[in-house]
Amino acid sequence: MEQDKTSAENLIKIDRYLISEDYGFVLPHPQTELPSYFDPWMEIASNLSQLIENCQLHSKVEKMPLLSTHALTDYKEQRLAHLALGFITMGYVWQEGSDKAQKVLPETLAVPFCKLSEILDLPPVLVYADCVLANWKKKDPFGPLSIENLDVIFSFPGGETSKGFFLVSLLVEMAAAPGIRAIPKIISAVLHEDVASLENALQDVTSSISKMQDAFKLIHGYVNPEIFFNTLRIYLSGWKDNPLMAGGLLYEGVWKTPREFSGGSAGQSSTLHCFDVLLGIYPNLECGSTAAYLQSLRDYMPASHRAFIQAIALGPSLRHFVLAAGNDSLQEAFNSCVSALVALRDYHIQVVTRYISIPAGKQKHRGCLFHNAVVTFPEKGTGGTSFMCFLKTIRDLTKKAQLLDV
Ligand code: HEM
Ligand SMILES: Nc1ccc(Cl)cc1-c1cn[nH]n1
């Protein structure tokens, strides 16, 4: 029996999954430069907004040489290259607006992007793990991890709003780190039936989720709703279930038929998936359900992060242990975690109302909703414009996870 516990504890150690004690799922100190051979990619990615605004991006990409990815052997270099090609790809597809999407990705972009995606087990589209987790640097290397001392490596049109959106998301992810590193402690405490340690670790998760919400509040000072809705959101969109890109995007020189991929979404963030699985938020994954859609987004996460979520799912049930323990203060500690997650999702819904629902209402009055029709952030996968229903469903599923007094 002791051996089973030890192997179960080894299965959940975070360093096995490229998860950082200090940064959680955030890539610590991302690479910001590639060998000069890759200058054609880095010059375009680093000047994307200007190239788009001057209508020079298409010609720059079409003149790009077909580079080999062989020289990219270091993991952080591979992440930086996937990030750069992801930004160039989104810019190339959407630069003329959501109603004039490019349907073919030139092979000078498609071939290396798909090769790198295969190496990293990521899809050939800009994912959350690119533009948030690997897209940051400190302005003053000796300064603090504050938004004032952070910058992005690449950004889209939308200036400070584009940077702010990615940096606020990054700070939310960094605030999650103490909660993520508490997960192995929770699973070990359940295996050893150690109620005191379990209660402490659950309090760490609650405190971490509360600090995530504090970081989230920065959004109002760094992201402008109109610029987010009318500019940045377009570039985050994907080509899945998109009426104007039937079948998706044609990756020239890779596949003979177009392929569909979802756009970037924090639904691809491993953080909330971990807390949801740990707390048993959505037990049923019936096909076509909200939970099944969220589960499908795990294919857009780094493979090691996806595996960590699966390891939590295969571990002992925290809910069952807390229910069986019949200990009031332990049950209170569990319910505090759930309440913090409900509060975070409630706050997120308020933000979505300010940054999508209200600007969309203004656009409808301006009579150009079509412009909106093919944008897929929020993802069509959540049932088109019923993203609010999707978000409220997940919030309500979270509420239901509260353990009621027996
Ligand atoms: C301007 C700010 C934001 C807007 C307008 C927004 C909008 C949305 C929308 C429409 C969805 C559902 C559709 C989809 O998955 O694409 C969503 C999902 C989600 N968003 Fe955001 N979001 C914002 C900021 C954030 C931030 C900063 C985070 C945290 C880092 C975040 C975390 C999530 C998560 C985890 C989901 C998946 C649903 C869930 O687990 O509750 N969002 N967001
Ligand atoms: N926070 C985010 C950062 C980057 C990208 Cl690509 C998407 C999101 C997001 C937020 N909510 N849904 N997606």
Side-chain angles (χ1 to χ4, degrees), residues 20-37:
S20 157
E21 287 280 335
D22 299 324
Y23 296 92
F25 291 108
V26 171
L27 184 67
H29 318 297
Q31 191 102 0
T32 58
E33 292 175 0
L34 290 177
S36 57
Y37 170 77

Side-chain angles (χ1 to χ4, degrees), residues 6 140 151 192 226 253 264 287 297 304 374:
T6 309
D140 169 4
D151 201 350
H192 295 283
E226 296 294 321
C287 172
L297 296 179
S304 60
V374 292

Side-chain angles (χ1 to χ4, degrees), residues 2 17 40 53 68 94-95 105 110 123 162 201-202 208 210 238 258 265 279 308 333 385 396-397:
E2 272 313 305
Y17 299 96
E53 276 143 22
S68 161
W94 300 116
Q95 68 163 343
L105 197 66
S162 170
L202 285 170
S208 180
S210 165
S265 163
L279 299 168
F308 181 68
T385 56
D396 295 344
L397 280 171

Side-chain angles (χ1 to χ4, degrees), residues 128 132 165 168-170 172-173 212 216 219 223 225 228 233 263-269 272-273 276 282 293-294 297 344-345 348 351-356 376-380 382 384 387-388 390-391 394-395 398:
Y128 184 86
V132 174
F165 184 68
V168 169
S169 305
L170 176 76
V172 172
E173 291 288 341
M212 288 170 70
F216 202 160
I219 201 110
V223 180
F228 169 84
R233 185 174 60 103
S265 163
Q268 302 163 0
S269 161
L272 261 61
H273 286 251
D276 287 346
Y282 34 80
Y293 164 68
L294 263 181
L297 296 179
L344 179 64
R345 286 186 155 127
H348 177 259
V351 168
V352 174
T353 302
R354 181 177 182 222
Y355 283 83
I356 293 185
T376 55
F377 177 92
E379 282 311 308
K380 296 288 284 179
T382 59
F387 59 82
M388 202 50 101
F390 164 72
L391 291 173
I394 296 181
R395 186 269 321 273
T398 309

